C-alpha cells in the first residue's frame, strides 16, 4: 500500500475538488434563479410603465378640466354643481398623479435595487414591486372612475336637458361596457392566490409562492 502522507494528500485533494464542484453548482443555481426572477422583475416594470403612461394621460385631461372648464360654465349654472365638478375633477387628477408618481418611482428604483443591491436584493425588489403594483393599480382604477364622474357632472352643467340625457346614457353605457370588459378579462386570466407560483425556491427545495399566496396557504 501507499504511504500515509500520500493517502492524506489524495484525500485532501478529493475534498478540495468536491468543495469546488459544490461551489460551482451553487453558483450555477443562483444564476438560474436570478434569471427566473429577472423575468418577474421585467413583467412588473413593464406593467408600471404602462400604468404610468395612462395615468399621465388621464391626469392631463383632468388638469385641463380644472383649469379651462370653469371659463365655459353658463352664468346661471348652479354653484353647488360647479363646486362639485371641480372637487371631483381635482380628485381624479390627484389619483392619477399619485398612480403616475408611484409607477415611475417603482419602475426606476425596483430594477436599480435588483441590479446594484447586495445579495438577496433581486428577491426583495420583486416582492416589493408585486405589493406596490396592487396599490398602484387600485389607485389608477379609482382615478379613471372619478374621471367618469367628472365628465358626467360636466355634461349636467353644460348641456340642455335633451343632450344631457343622451350623453349621460351614452356614458353610462360606456362605463358599463368598460366594467363588464374588465370583469370578463379578470375572470379569464385570474390566478388564485393559492395557485400563484413565484420564481424563488425554498431551502427544502420546494417551489416558492408569489406575494400574497403565503397567507392564503396558511
Amino acid at each position: 500500500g501507499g504511504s500515509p502522507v500520500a493517502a492524506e494528500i489524495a484525500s485532501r485533494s478529493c475534498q478540495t475538488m468536491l468543495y469546488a464542484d459544490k461551489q460551482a453548482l451553487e453558483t450555477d443555481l443562483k444564476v438560474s434563479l436570478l434569471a427566473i426572477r429577472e423575468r418577474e422583475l421585467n413583467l412588473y416594470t413593464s406593467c408600471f410603465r404602462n400604468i404610468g403612461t395612462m395615468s399621465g394621460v388621464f391626469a392631463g385631461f383632468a388638469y385641463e378640466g380644472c383649469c379651462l372648464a370653469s371659463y365655459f360654465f353658463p352664468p346661471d349654472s348652479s354653484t353647488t354643481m360647479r363646486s362639485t365638478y371641480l372637487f371631483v375633477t381635482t380628485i381624479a387628477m390627484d389619483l392619477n398623479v399619485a398612480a403616475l408618481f408611484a409607477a415611475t418611482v417603482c419602475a426606476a428604483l425596483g430594477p436599480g435595487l435588483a441590479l446594484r443591491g447586495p445579495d438577496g436584493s433581486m428577491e426583495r425588489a420583486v416582492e416589493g414591486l408585486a405589493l406596490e403594483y396592487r396599490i398602484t393599480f387600485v389607485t389608477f382604477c379609482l382615478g379613471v372612475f372619478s374621471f367618469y364622474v367628472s365628465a358626467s357632472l360636466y355634461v349636467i352643467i353644460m348641456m340642455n336637458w335633451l343632450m344631457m340625457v343622451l350623453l349621460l346614457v351614452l356614458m353610462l353605457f360606456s362605463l358599463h361596457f368598460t366594467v363588464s370588459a374588465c370583469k370578463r378579462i379578470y375572470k379569464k386570466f385570474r390566478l388564485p392566490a393559492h395557485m400563484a407560483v413565484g420564481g424563488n425556491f425554498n431551502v427544502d427545495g420546494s417551489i416558492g409562492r408569489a406575494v400574497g399566496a403565503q397567507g392564503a396557504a396558511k
Side-chain angles (χ1 to χ4, degrees), residues 69-96:
S70 59
Y71 293 102
F72 301 100
F73 284 151
D76 57 344
S77 60
S78 171
T79 303
T80 302
M81 292 298 298
R82 286 185 290 178
S83 301
T84 304
Y85 166 80
L86 292 175
F87 178 75
V88 173
T89 307
T90 302
I91 291 178
M93 181 184 66
D94 292 342
L95 289 172
N96 282 285

Side-chain angles (χ1 to χ4, degrees), residues 154-206:
Y154 181 80
V155 169
I156 294 174
I157 296 173
M158 296 295 297
M159 303 300 172
N160 56 50
W161 284 100
L162 179 61
M163 287 299 299
M164 180 189 72
V165 172
L166 292 176
L167 291 177
L168 286 178
V169 170
L170 181 62
M171 282 192 289
L172 287 176
F173 175 78
S174 175
L175 179 60
H176 174 72
F177 178 81
T178 302
V179 173
S180 299
C182 291
K183 289 182 178 179
R184 184 184 69 253
I185 295 171
Y186 177 76
K187 291 180 180 179
K188 184 179 298 184
F189 298 104
R190 177 177 177 269
L191 180 62
H194 66 278
M195 296 179 60
V197 177
N200 57 318
F201 285 81
N202 299 323
V203 179
D204 58 359
S206 60

Side-chain angles (χ1 to χ4, degrees), residues 33-174:
L33 293 179
L34 286 176
I36 296 174
R37 296 299 269 178
E38 185 181 7
R39 294 182 182 180
E40 292 184 280
L41 180 72
N42 293 335
L43 170 65
Y44 286 117
T45 302
S46 177
C47 291
F48 275 118
R49 288 172 179 169
N50 292 334
I51 289 180
T53 300
M54 296 309 302
S55 296
V57 173
F58 282 108
F61 288 156
Y63 179 77
E64 290 293 331
C66 289
C67 295
L68 300 180
S70 59
Y71 293 102
F72 301 100
F73 284 151
D76 57 344
S77 60
S78 171
T79 303
T80 302
M81 292 298 298
R82 286 185 290 178
S83 301
T84 304
Y85 166 80
L86 292 175
F87 178 75
V88 173
T89 307
T90 302
I91 291 178
M93 181 184 66
D94 292 342
L95 289 172
N96 282 285
V97 169
L100 169 63
F101 182 77
T104 303
V105 172
C106 289
L109 298 184
L113 173 63
L115 292 174
R116 296 190 296 268
D119 189 24
S121 296
M122 176 66 79
E123 186 84 13
R124 178 185 169 193
V126 172
E127 300 297 328
L129 288 179
L131 290 174
E132 292 297 329
Y133 174 73
R134 297 178 180 179
I135 300 175
T136 304
F137 184 76
V138 171
T139 304
F140 170 71
C141 291
L142 292 175
V144 173
F145 178 76
S146 300
F147 189 80
Y148 269 102
V149 177
S150 171
S152 301
L153 291 173
Y154 181 80
V155 169
I156 294 174
I157 296 173
M158 296 295 297
M159 303 300 172
N160 56 50
W161 284 100
L162 179 61
M163 287 299 299
M164 180 189 72
V165 172
L166 292 176
L167 291 177
L168 286 178
V169 170
L170 181 62
M171 282 192 289
L172 287 176
F173 175 78
S174 175

